Amino acid sequence: MKFYLILYLNTFIFSHSLSSQTISDKQKSELAEIVKQEFLHSWNAYKTYAWEHDELKPLSQSFRDWYSESLLITPVDALDAFYLMGLNEEADSIKEFIINNLSFDKDFFVKNFEITIRILGGLLSSYQISNDKRLLKLAEDLGNRLLPVFNSQTGMPYMFINLKSGEVKGEISNPAEIGTLLIEFGALSKLTGNPVYYDKAKKAITELFNRRSPIGLVGTTVNVETGEWIDSTSHISGRIDSYYEYLLKSALLFDDKDCKKMWDKSIEVVNRYLAHNTETGLWYCQTNMLTGERISTNFGALDAFFPAVLALSIDLTKAEQLQESCYKMWTTFGIEPEEIDYTTMEATSPVYHLRPEVIESAYYLYFFTKDERYVEMGKTFLESLIKYCKVDAGYTALENVVTKEKRDEMESFFLAETLKYLYLLFAPANTLDFSKVIFNTEAHPIKKIW
Ligand code: DMJ
């Protein structure tokens, strides 16, 4: 089956890649259908080997829970993808399962950021799609349990919270975990009519922005009690990435003028101090947040979200250039490493976690440019995924993109994001309009209905 799929894709790519001829809607639908089948292949493996648990372990055909009890992370994260793919019957039965079995009355600490983007975001988008008020009730219960996380002296959230007692811990946090809450908390406010969630998350992101350096950059880690920076390295990679994404997206989703101003100021200095034109293309580097001096030249799978953000801000020139670099990072190894040094194109971290960002960026660029090149990129991504990551029980991460050694892991974002964006890239009828819908950082589409 795997062999025939790759053969089909190879024939498809050969007959289309040498010319700029348009790929017909029929051909795109066929590709979308392949992605849908791969989505079901992964979901069925989860159902067989990991049902009721947080995540599938595809090699050992077992499961992993994040905490002492499951929070149904994979089903909640994946639910809206079923609806978007038109798999409504399965979606409705997963929805019922979630409503009957998910409880947040748990006496353990969870990571606020992950639970917000995967579970709160997932519940809210599925609520907007299905109109089932019970999902909103669950989201509201979760939102209320998470609120004490903002009770620091600065208003910036702690990293961890006990869902039952409201106790908090983890005062050393980072811009991504502090600034990637406003879409979910803000939408919860709009949908329940209670402003408290919006206000807390907005204060958090604003307090962070206010602590930018004199040249306008933020660092990697900060103490949420004192407001002092611990690690002053600035970049767009993991631990900062989605802070920038949420400044722009919150401005668009809520018409929030403050977020727009913060985004405008931020992108100007990000491009001034971090963008790096080299012989291997345009990249974004690491600098000292105080001086703007370059520290290192690493770029990775997480950074590949940035072409999408640039495209959404309508800087298509930079978005397209950077996407070409990201594509080179993928094709150099046949699949994407976690991180490279872009001056040598060598992998500094060779893992592939089944991450979605480069596919997400191809989807955004295709939406804004209609250039078939991004569909071609999508076919390459799909082919590599099938070739190197597909196993009997779902899809698996890679320990090493050079040797293609596998790693026993299928994170919930593989269904929630990676396959969703790939499907949307190929499915013209399902292309969402970014003036009406904003995806949270976990690919949960939030409709702008206010
Ligand atoms: C996801 O949980 C989200 O996209 C997050 O913003 C970054 N990491 C993963 C995917 O790589």
Side-chain angles (χ1 to χ4, degrees), residues 67 108-116 146 148-152 156-163 167-179 181 220-225 238-240:
Y67 308 108
F108 50 70
F109 282 87
V110 299
K111 205 159 204 234
N112 180 53
F113 163 79
E114 295 291 355
I115 295 307
T116 297
L146 295 177
V149 87
F150 295 103
N151 292 345
S152 69
M156 294 191 287
Y158 290 90
M159 265 193 164
F160 301 95
I161 179 153
N162 182 304
L163 285 176
E167 250 178 292
V168 290
K169 64 179 186 186
E171 70 274 19
I172 308 299
S173 191
N174 56 65
E177 305 212 18
I178 293 165
L181 306 168
T220 304
T221 51
V222 65
N223 184 317
V224 301
E225 288 177 345
R239 294 194 285 172
I240 298 184

Side-chain angles (χ1 to χ4, degrees), residues 66 77 113-114 117-118 176 180 238-239 241-243 245-246 301-302 305 336 338 353-357 360 411-414 416-418 421 440-443:
W66 285 23
D77 219 5
F113 163 79
E114 295 291 355
I117 65 170
R118 300 192 200 212
T180 312
R239 294 194 285 172
D241 48 6
S242 44
Y243 155 63
E245 177 184 347
Y246 272 37
L302 286 168
F305 82 106
E336 187 185 51
E338 181 70 355
H353 288 287
L354 295 172
R355 290 199 192 280
E357 286 79 3
E360 170 185 4
E411 285 252 19
S412 66
F413 55 68
F414 181 64
E417 297 195 70
T418 310
Y421 282 130
N440 86 335
T441 195
E442 187 77 4

Side-chain angles (χ1 to χ4, degrees), residues 5 27 39 50 71 95 103 126 128 144 224 231 234 253 330 353 415 420 434-435 448:
L5 273 177
Q27 287 152 344
F39 179 87
L71 289 171
K95 173 165 70 71
S103 160
S126 290
Q128 283 192 315
N144 289 335
V224 301
D231 178 346
S234 197
L253 181 60
W330 183 292
H353 288 287
L415 293 171
K420 182 190 287 161
F434 292 128
S435 65
K448 187 175 174 176

Side-chain angles (χ1 to χ4, degrees), residues 218-255:
V218 295
T220 304
T221 51
V222 65
N223 184 317
V224 301
E225 288 177 345
T226 63
E228 288 190 356
W229 290 101
I230 311 294
D231 178 346
S232 55
T233 309
S234 197
H235 48 80
I236 57 156
S237 306
R239 294 194 285 172
I240 298 184
D241 48 6
S242 44
Y243 155 63
Y244 291 125
E245 177 184 347
Y246 272 37
L247 285 178
L248 175 66
K249 288 183 172 178
S250 301
L252 297 171
L253 181 60
F254 303 118
D255 290 324

Side-chain angles (χ1 to χ4, degrees), residues 92-107:
D92 284 342
S93 90
I94 299 166
K95 173 165 70 71
E96 287 306 315
F97 177 77
I98 289 170
I99 289 163
N100 293 326
N101 293 282
L102 183 57
S103 160
F104 298 119
D105 195 25
K106 308 278 190 199
D107 191 8

Side-chain angles (χ1 to χ4, degrees), residues 121-399:
L123 290 172
L124 290 171
S125 70
S126 290
Y127 161 65
Q128 283 192 315
I129 295 170
S130 66
N131 221 8
D132 190 327
K133 285 239 155 41
R134 295 172 298 171
L135 290 175
L136 182 59
K137 272 255 150 296
L138 271 173
E140 198 177 3
D141 177 39
L142 178 57
N144 289 335
R145 289 171 189 276
L146 295 177
L147 272 183
V149 87
F150 295 103
N151 292 345
S152 69
Q153 268 160 31
T154 63
M156 294 191 287
Y158 290 90
M159 265 193 164
F160 301 95
I161 179 153
N162 182 304
L163 285 176
K164 198 180 186 80
S165 67
E167 250 178 292
V168 290
K169 64 179 186 186
E171 70 274 19
I172 308 299
S173 191
N174 56 65
E177 305 212 18
I178 293 165
T180 312
L181 306 168
L182 187 49
I183 291 181
E184 300 80 0
F185 280 76
L188 186 58
S189 278
K190 301 288 178 191
L191 294 167
T192 58
N194 181 353
V196 66
Y197 315 105
Y198 194 105
D199 293 347
K200 298 270 186 192
K202 170 93 180 271
K203 179 167 166 58
I205 200 168
T206 308
E207 290 291 332
L208 180 73
F209 175 79
N210 289 342
R211 285 173 173 77
R212 69 200 184 282
S213 71
I215 62 168
L217 293 173
V218 295
T220 304
T221 51
V222 65
N223 184 317
V224 301
E225 288 177 345
T226 63
E228 288 190 356
W229 290 101
I230 311 294
D231 178 346
S232 55
T233 309
S234 197
H235 48 80
I236 57 156
S237 306
R239 294 194 285 172
I240 298 184
D241 48 6
S242 44
Y243 155 63
Y244 291 125
E245 177 184 347
Y246 272 37
L247 285 178
L248 175 66
K249 288 183 172 178
S250 301
L252 297 171
L253 181 60
F254 303 118
D255 290 324
D256 188 309
K257 305 273 176 298
D258 301 324
C259 288
K260 171 82 170 69
K261 277 189 210 143
M262 292 191 274
W263 161 257
D264 286 342
K265 288 199 167 143
S266 299
I267 189 61
E268 204 263 309
V269 291
V270 162
N271 279 329
R272 184 173 338 151
Y273 294 108
L274 302 179
H276 190 192
N277 271 297
T278 71
E279 277 175 14
T280 56
L282 170 68
W283 305 92
Y284 282 70
C285 67
Q286 292 71 42
T287 69
N288 180 312
M289 70 182 272
L290 296 170
T291 62
E293 210 175 304
R294 189 172 303 132
I295 296 172
S296 51
T297 51
N298 296 323
F299 192 94
L302 286 168
D303 308 57
F305 82 106
F306 211 53
V309 170
L310 289 169
L312 192 60
S313 76
I314 317 297
D315 183 350
L316 290 178
T317 309
K318 272 211 180 52
E320 293 203 75
Q321 279 175 18
L322 187 61
Q323 181 67 4
E324 287 302 328
S325 304
C326 296
Y327 189 57
K328 189 181 282 176
M329 180 167 69
W330 183 292
T331 50
T332 300
F333 300 90
I335 195 153
E336 187 185 51
E338 181 70 355
E339 191 191 78
I340 59 166
D341 179 335
Y342 57 75
T343 57
T344 60
M345 293 304 286
E346 267 164 28
T348 46
S349 171
V351 188
Y352 175 55
H353 288 287
L354 295 172
R355 290 199 192 280
E357 286 79 3
V358 70
I359 300 172
E360 170 185 4
S361 287
Y363 166 59
Y364 275 71
L365 275 162
Y366 186 51
F367 175 84
F368 284 108
T369 65
K370 299 287 173 281
D371 187 337
E372 303 291 345
R373 169 141 183 80
Y374 300 109
V375 179
E376 298 288 344
M377 284 187 186
K379 283 185 293 186
T380 304
F381 302 144
L382 175 59
E383 188 188 21
S384 314
L385 283 169
I386 294 171
K387 191 165 169 192
Y388 299 123
C389 304
K390 187 172 182 179
V391 292
D392 289 346
Y395 273 71
T396 201
L398 299 181
E399 202 65 65

